[in-house]
Amino acid sequence: MNKKILYIFFAAVSLLFTSCAKEYNQVFKTGDLDYKYEYAKECFAKGKYSFATTLLQDLVTIKKGTTDAQECLYMLAMSEYGQKDYEAASETFKKYYQSYPRGYYAEMASFYVGQSLYMSTPEPRLDQSQTVAAIAALQEYRDMFPDGKLKGLAEERLMELQDKLVEKEYLNAKLYYDLGSYFGNCTYGGNNYEACVITAQNALNDYPYTSMREDFAILIMKSKYELAQMSVESKKLQRYQDAEDECYGFINEYPDSKERETAEKYIKKCKEITKD
């Protein structure tokens, strides 16, 4: 009995799908552009973004210069976004905004250029070019529409994207620290501990209000100490003094840090070297 019901269900679904596909093909081939456009709008309203996108891609050129042109182009962008084709959506939203900077959907299109890019940004370990592009697009939206209705969401997105860039910089700095004394791969031409310090310090300069300040400070402190340990005699004293100063600065800024004990241990060892 259950198998029979299941068979009837799948048969009904298959019949419905075949019927919808047949209807769609008829609409796609029709020369009645008004009917095709209304059908595309209906598909869009029902969330059938794949059908809507295909129809609107055909219609957007035909409708150019008509009263439906703005709506057609904007619906195409939203359909692409609904399909999660974020790269295409971003380009179409950008095209809308460039074509109709004072259009009815101008603010939404401007926001969704950045929102589409935001949705396609990769995890922090990967290349962040898309993240940088999303930040630029959302900042442009904020500049163009300072009182826009999506201003709050844009600022929220910008904070998330900036955090992603900060995390990327932290991972880069941490990689240099983890490589330690390995000399086979150092961007800055010195050693990996120096590269870690430079990367972390640059990140703090670029993102002074990041919540990861202490994490970067820990890497800087540890790297300076390790750098002092592996230095040649002519540089050792100066680098131990630098490491000691860094440890004191760390304790002053983060007195309750989980790494305070490490800083105090480093200070003790640095003093053993610098007192002679």
Side-chain angles (χ1 to χ4, degrees):
M1 183 66 179
N2 289 339
K3 288 184 178 180
K4 185 177 180 180
I5 292 173
L6 197 60
Y7 173 79
I8 292 171
F9 172 77
F10 281 115
V13 170
S14 178
L15 183 63
L16 180 62
F17 179 80
T18 302
S19 175
C20 288
K22 184 178 179 181
E23 181 183 5
Y24 169 77
N25 287 331
Q26 288 175 342
V27 172
F28 186 77
K29 293 175 182 178
T30 185
D32 188 340
L33 298 180
D34 289 335
Y35 176 64
K36 182 184 286 190
Y37 185 54
E38 290 303 315
Y39 189 84
K41 289 168 69 174
E42 184 180 334
C43 288
F44 175 77
K46 291 181 177 179
K48 297 178 180 179
Y49 299 121
S50 178
F51 286 168
T53 297
T54 305
L55 291 171
L56 290 166
Q57 284 173 337
D58 187 45
L59 287 164
V60 73
T61 303
I62 299 169
K63 289 289 185 179
K64 191 173 182 179
T66 71
T67 55
D68 295 324
Q70 285 194 50
E71 182 183 54
C72 186
L73 185 57
Y74 182 73
M75 275 200 302
L76 172 59
M78 288 301 296
S79 295
E80 290 168 339
Y81 184 85
Q83 280 187 278
K84 298 183 180 181
D85 187 353
Y86 299 121
E87 184 176 349
S90 179
E91 288 301 315
T92 307
F93 282 122
K94 186 185 298 183
K95 182 179 178 181
Y96 176 94
Y97 186 71
Q98 291 173 343
S99 301
Y100 310 103
R102 299 180 183 277
Y104 184 76
Y105 304 102
E107 181 187 337
M108 293 295 289
S110 178
F111 171 79
Y112 270 97
V113 173
Q115 172 67 13
S116 298
L117 291 170
Y118 163 84
M119 293 297 292
S120 61
T121 53
E123 62 172 298
R125 292 182 183 276
L126 302 177
D127 177 71
Q128 294 300 306
S129 300
Q130 196 85 335
T131 302
V132 173
I135 288 173
L138 288 166
Q139 285 178 333
E140 183 176 351
Y141 164 76
R142 193 172 59 174
D143 292 341
M144 296 303 298
F145 301 93
D147 299 314
K149 56 187 176 183
L150 293 174
K151 176 185 175 182
L153 182 56
E155 290 176 346
E156 184 179 310
R157 294 287 189 255
L158 283 168
M159 290 177 64
E160 290 179 46
L161 293 168
Q162 180 171 290
D163 286 346
K164 187 171 285 192
L165 292 183
V166 173
E167 188 175 350
K168 172 68 172 178
E169 290 303 306
Y170 176 77
L171 291 172
N172 288 342
K174 182 68 163 56
L175 177 60
Y176 283 126
Y177 179 80
D178 292 339
L179 286 171
S181 58
Y182 174 65
F183 288 93
N185 179 26
C186 185
T187 302
Y188 291 94
N191 66 54
N192 291 302
Y193 292 122
E194 286 180 297
C196 176
V197 171
I198 293 169
T199 303
Q201 287 176 335
N202 286 343
L204 289 175
N205 289 333
D206 292 339
Y207 309 102
Y209 303 110
T210 177
S211 60
M212 296 184 71
R213 285 190 63 85
E214 183 180 345
D215 300 291
F216 284 109
I218 290 169
L219 284 179
I220 293 170
M221 175 183 69
K222 289 184 174 182
S223 292
K224 285 191 174 185
Y225 178 77
E226 295 294 342
L227 181 60
Q229 281 199 308
M230 65 184 294
S231 295
V232 296
E233 286 301 321
S234 60
K235 294 183 178 180
K236 188 165 286 190
L237 179 61
Q238 178 59 49
R239 285 180 172 172
Y240 269 114
Q241 289 173 339
D242 188 25
E244 185 179 343
D245 290 343
E246 191 68 38
C247 291
Y248 276 120
F250 178 82
I251 290 172
N252 287 335
E253 189 168 358
Y254 307 102
D256 299 319
S257 174
K258 61 182 180 181
E259 293 289 350
R260 176 174 181 141
E261 187 176 330
T262 301
E264 292 172 342
K265 181 180 71 175
Y266 286 169
I267 290 171
K268 182 178 179 181
K269 290 185 177 181
C270 287
K271 285 185 179 299
E272 291 173 1
I273 303 296
T274 58
K275 71 180 180 180
D276 297 330

